[in-house]
């Protein structure tokens, strides 16, 4: 076998081994819709493929808010980011618990995992979360004279979309008398 062919075979084998054994994120789990005042566990599961973990970082809208550095003291570092409140006792290398959530918690969350030297491979994945506030009570109907009726909902974020349902009842005894029942819902 010629020297050039040997080098090509070695280079191909090197690429196959490198890509077969590279760090990867196997699962990213972030609830798409969350409620104000509740909590959310952001999960980032990864396969190191024999590498040693260097760091796991979490970002919201490009701003780092959580860093896990195994073997360092302290292992966990938390940074101030608007709308992000990390429960450090419940957070690990593979998950971060946010509580309590607020409207400002909405955003694009990204997990970044890096391996130790010599490769320092880094992989990332992201997903979005929208934190909402439902109304405290159901819709209210007011008015009702001369067919002018108002349906109002309590405050919410995002705004509630209301729909009208009109039920006409026909009285059999008096064939010209109709009764109308108004209903609205979200």
């Amino acid at each position: 076998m010629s020297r050039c062919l040997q080098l090509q075979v070695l280079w191909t084998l090197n690429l196959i081994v490198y890509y077969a054994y590279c760090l990867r994120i196997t699962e990213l789990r972030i609830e798409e819709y969350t409620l104000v005042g509740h909590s959310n566990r952001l999960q980032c599961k990864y396969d190191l493929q024999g590498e040693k973990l260097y760091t796991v970082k979490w970002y919201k809208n490009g701003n780092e808010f959580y860093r896990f550095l195994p073997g360092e003291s302290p292992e966990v570092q938390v940074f101030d980011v608007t709308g992000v409140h990390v429960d450090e006792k419940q957070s690990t290398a593979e998950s971060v618990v946010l509580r309590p959530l607020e409207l400002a918690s909405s955003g694009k969350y990204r997990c970044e995992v890096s391996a130790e030297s010599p490769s320092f491979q880094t992989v990332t994945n992201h997903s979005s979360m929208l934190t909402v506030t439902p109304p405290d009570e159901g819709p209210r109907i007011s008015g009702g004279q001369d067919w002018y009726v108002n349906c109002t909902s309590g405050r919410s974020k995002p705004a509630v979309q209301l729909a009208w349902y009109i039920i006409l009842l026909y009285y059999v005894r008096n064939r010209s008398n109709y009764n109308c029942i108004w209903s609205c819902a979200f």
Side-chain angles (χ1 to χ4, degrees), residues 168-184:
L168 291 175
L169 299 177
Y170 180 68
Y171 289 106
V172 176
R173 284 189 192 157
N174 183 353
R175 295 184 185 261
S176 63
N177 191 5
Y178 288 90
N179 190 9
C180 187
I181 297 174
W182 299 93
S183 174
C184 78

Side-chain angles (χ1 to χ4, degrees), residues 4-183:
C4 184
L5 184 58
Q6 287 176 341
L7 288 174
Q8 286 178 334
V9 169
L10 285 174
W11 179 250
T12 303
L13 288 173
N14 183 39
L15 288 175
I16 290 170
V17 168
Y18 177 78
Y19 286 108
Y21 293 101
C22 62
L23 170 67
R24 63 185 171 177
I25 292 176
T26 58
E27 182 180 5
L28 181 71
R29 186 176 297 165
I30 298 172
E31 287 183 48
E32 187 175 359
Y33 300 104
T34 56
L35 293 173
V36 166
H38 287 80
S39 64
N40 189 11
R41 180 178 297 274
L42 313 178
Q43 291 185 318
C44 183
K45 295 184 179 181
Y46 47 87
D47 184 352
L48 293 170
Q49 294 288 328
E51 297 274 351
K52 186 176 177 188
L53 180 65
Y54 174 61
T55 185
V56 176
K57 297 178 181 178
W58 280 92
Y59 299 83
K60 178 193 167 222
N61 297 333
N63 299 303
E64 184 180 0
F65 67 87
Y66 182 84
R67 183 182 300 168
F68 181 85
L69 288 157
E72 296 290 318
S73 183
E75 278 190 334
V76 171
Q77 296 176 8
V78 175
F79 307 99
D80 286 335
V81 171
T82 303
V84 177
H85 308 285
V86 176
D87 183 339
E88 290 184 54
K89 293 182 193 237
Q90 297 294 316
S91 300
T92 66
E94 289 193 346
S95 68
V96 175
V97 176
L98 305 181
R99 81 164 44 105
L101 296 174
E102 54 189 64
L103 290 175
S105 299
S106 296
K108 183 177 175 181
Y109 288 83
R110 177 169 53 103
C111 171
E112 177 183 284
V113 181
S114 298
E116 211 25 287
S117 68
S119 73
F120 285 110
Q121 294 179 64
T122 300
V123 292
T124 67
N125 200 351
H126 68 273
S127 188
S128 294
M129 179 177 79
L130 176 64
T131 303
V132 300
T133 303
D136 292 333
E137 56 188 36
R140 294 177 305 281
I141 298 175
S142 58
Q145 285 142 7
D146 299 326
W147 294 92
Y148 292 104
V149 182
N150 182 36
C151 182
T152 307
S153 171
R155 295 171 53 123
S156 68
K157 176 113 182 172
V160 169
Q161 293 187 6
L162 299 170
W164 279 103
Y165 298 95
I166 302 172
I167 304 167
L168 291 175
L169 299 177
Y170 180 68
Y171 289 106
V172 176
R173 284 189 192 157
N174 183 353
R175 295 184 185 261
S176 63
N177 191 5
Y178 288 90
N179 190 9
C180 187
I181 297 174
W182 299 93
S183 174

